[in-house]
């Protein structure tokens, strides 16, 4: 465990049912002209938009219909500059929040998006603080409201890449579980499994630290008791509250402990497939856990990571079973009845597996995986996720 670490969080986090009602007054204290970033159906947030306008904040609407791309972020920056926006408000899922973070950073820093992007750009640091940004999640999964990167698809390069900086952390985060009540079961499952994956991977990450450990333990317990209920009983507010908090905690873990092979593989897959990130996590989580456990037992029988997996299993099963494999079986028992599509349904083919494995080994998330995985291991994981 790392006992020498940094811990990054937004300036403020407001959590609780009904807290979205505070958004107009909060935003009015940060700016007067806001780029209002939402998903494809901004009419769902008409009441909040009206409240913002009454508070004296002029809104320039900007919609994000799918996963954010380099082109859509450039368009958002252009819209914000044309309207002389001094504030960004992002209200939506992970794609909306990542767009808001990227736009807020680029509003305050000179040059083009590709000056700052990793891999496909110049990877210059974002030296200036981002414009004020209020992030309001409407899904419970990505935790993007508290992460210091924005994941963008670069269509011309066929990859997903990140804009990274501590400055990408929003000024204030408002998490209101009531905003997730209308999320359909399929999206509830995908986003919830994203959060669960981040908690599992963060707990066994080589970069874990005492603070992220505590967040993982709390988040895993809440996801264990409420993820399935949120899917099947979507109007049950206590389950939605648990998952909203699990998602928030998973984002803090991601930002401060890194992840593992699920997200290492998701990085190239996200650029190659038109698949929701949560669907990729759902397909990969059990195969990655199985491979990690097999390799840990073969290479280092007394590995601390095995004890971590065993502790996670005890939390997920409520203490009834606590062997490392018990957590894997719990995950399978959770996911299998949902009948979620595998990666083949999203377009992955057998002849692409070698390329994905090679690219995944270079992904930053692989650095946190508790055991080194070979290209052959990664190919076997992908094949099991088809």
């Amino acid at each position: 465990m790392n006992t020498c670490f940094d811990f990054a969080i937004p300036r403020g986090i407001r959590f609780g049912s009904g807290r979205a009602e505070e958004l107009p007054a909060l935003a009015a204290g940060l700016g007067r002209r806001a780029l209002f970033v939402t998903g494809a159906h901004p009419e769902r947030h008409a009441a909040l938009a009206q409240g913002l306008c009454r508070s004296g904040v002029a809104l320039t609407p900007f919609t994000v219909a799918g996963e954010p791309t380099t082109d859509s972020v450039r368009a958002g920056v252009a819209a914000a500059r044309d309207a002389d926006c001094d504030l960004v408000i992002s209200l939506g899922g992970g794609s909306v929040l990542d767009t808001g973070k990227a736009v807020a950073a680029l509003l305050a820093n000179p040059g083009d998006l590709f000056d700052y992007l990793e891999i496909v750009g110049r990877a210059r640091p974002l030296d200036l603080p981002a414009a004020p940004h209020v992030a309001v999640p409407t899904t419970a999964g990505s935790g993007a409201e508290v992460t210091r990167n924005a994941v963008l698809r670069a269509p011309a390069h066929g990859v997903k890449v990140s804009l990274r900086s501590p400055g990408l952390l929003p000024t204030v985060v408002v998490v209101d579980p009531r905003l997730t009540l209308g999320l359909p079961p399929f999206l509830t499952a995908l986003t919830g499994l994203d959060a669960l994956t981040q908690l599992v991977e963060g707990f066994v990450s080589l970069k874990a630290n005492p603070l992220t450990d505590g967040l993982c333990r709390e988040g895993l317990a809440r996801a264990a008791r409420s993820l399935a209920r949120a899917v099947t009983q979507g109007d049950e507010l206590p389950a939605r509250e648990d998952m909203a908090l699990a998602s928030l905690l998973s984002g803090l873990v991601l930002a401060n402990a890194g992840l593992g092979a699920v997200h290492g593989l998701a990085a190239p897959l996200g650029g190659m497939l038109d698949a929701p990130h949560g669907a990729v996590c759902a397909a990969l989580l059990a195969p990655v856990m199985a491979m990690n456990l097999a390799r840990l037992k073969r290479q280092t029988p007394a590995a601390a990571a095995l004890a971590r997996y065993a502790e996670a299993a005890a939390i997920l099963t409520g203490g009834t079973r606590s062997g490392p494999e018990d957590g894997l079986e719990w995950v399978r028992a959770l996911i299998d009845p949902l009948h979620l599509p595998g990666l083949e349904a999203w377009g992955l083919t057998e002849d692409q597996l070698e390329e994905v494995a090679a690219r995944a080994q270079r992904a930053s998330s692989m650095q946190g995986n508790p055991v080194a995985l070979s290209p052959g291991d990664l190919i076997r994981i992908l094949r099991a996720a088809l």
Side-chain angles (χ1 to χ4, degrees):
M1 180 190 298
N2 295 311
T3 54
C4 180
F5 59 89
D6 298 330
F7 197 85
I9 58 172
R11 269 182 254 169
I13 298 174
R14 302 187 181 195
F15 183 95
S17 293
R19 299 301 296 267
E21 296 173 6
E22 302 170 17
L23 180 59
L26 176 61
L30 294 173
R32 284 291 174 262
R33 294 173 299 279
L35 187 74
F36 189 50
V37 187
T38 66
H41 300 283
E43 66 276 5
R44 295 174 180 168
H45 311 300
L48 276 175
Q50 291 167 7
L52 286 162
C53 292
R54 286 194 297 269
S55 73
V57 179
L59 301 181
T60 297
F62 185 79
T63 60
V64 181
E67 293 201 342
T69 67
T70 51
D71 290 338
S72 66
V73 166
R74 278 172 157 173
V77 173
R81 286 178 174 158
D82 287 346
D84 199 23
C85 293
D86 57 358
L87 169 66
V88 176
I89 300 171
S90 58
L91 180 66
S95 295
V96 169
L97 302 178
D98 275 355
T99 298
K101 289 187 292 186
V103 171
L106 292 167
L107 273 181
N109 284 270
D112 180 69
L113 169 62
F114 279 83
D115 292 330
Y116 304 101
L117 277 178
E118 64 180 21
I119 301 175
V120 299
R122 298 179 183 176
R124 284 173 46 191
L126 289 157
D127 293 323
L128 300 176
H133 176 203
V134 183
V136 187
T138 60
T139 64
S142 71
E145 66 272 16
V146 290
T147 61
R148 44 187 168 177
N149 68 310
V151 182
L152 312 176
R153 179 179 290 182
H157 301 83
V159 294
K160 274 189 176 180
V161 293
S162 282
L163 191 66
R164 296 183 190 274
S165 170
L168 263 70
L169 287 165
T171 310
V172 183
V173 169
V174 179
V175 183
D176 186 340
R178 290 185 182 273
L179 296 179
T180 70
L181 284 172
L183 201 64
F186 180 69
L187 292 179
T188 299
L190 295 191
T191 54
L193 287 166
D194 186 6
L196 177 66
T197 299
Q198 291 176 174
L199 291 164
V200 171
E201 290 207 296
F203 194 53
V204 301
S205 170
L206 295 175
K207 300 179 181 180
N209 63 65
L211 284 181
T212 60
D213 283 351
L215 300 179
C216 285
R217 291 182 178 108
E218 182 70 18
L220 286 168
R222 290 178 181 271
R225 75 187 182 204
S226 293
L227 200 164
R229 290 204 339 267
V231 174
T232 59
Q233 304 171 47
D235 59 348
E236 186 180 309
L237 185 57
R240 293 293 191 177
E241 289 175 336
D242 269 351
M243 289 311 301
L245 188 51
S247 174
L248 174 68
L249 297 176
S250 80
L252 291 169
V253 170
L254 183 163
N256 293 283
L259 296 172
V262 172
H263 283 79
L265 287 161
L269 288 170
M272 298 169 65
L273 308 179
D274 188 19
H277 176 68
V280 175
C281 291
L284 289 171
L285 179 56
V288 166
M289 290 177 69
M291 183 62 71
N292 279 348
L293 290 173
R295 290 293 169 260
L296 285 165
K297 288 187 172 183
R298 178 180 300 179
Q299 297 177 18
T300 48
L306 287 175
R308 289 302 186 99
Y309 272 118
E311 184 177 352
I315 296 170
L316 293 172
T317 65
T320 58
R321 294 172 292 159
S322 57
E325 292 83 359
D326 292 322
L328 170 60
E329 292 309 312
W330 184 92
V331 167
R332 286 174 171 157
L334 172 71
I335 295 175
D336 288 349
L338 299 175
H339 302 294
L340 299 175
L343 297 180
E344 187 174 33
W346 298 105
L348 187 65
T349 60
E350 177 73 25
D351 59 5
Q352 293 175 301
L353 302 189
E354 187 173 339
E355 177 190 357
V356 174
R359 292 166 65 179
Q361 285 200 303
R362 301 190 293 270
S364 59
S365 290
M366 281 296 181
Q367 298 172 17
N369 201 62
V371 64
L373 299 178
S374 70
D377 292 335
L378 297 178
I379 290 171
R380 283 186 281 274
I381 289 169
L382 289 165
R383 192 170 287 126
L386 285 174

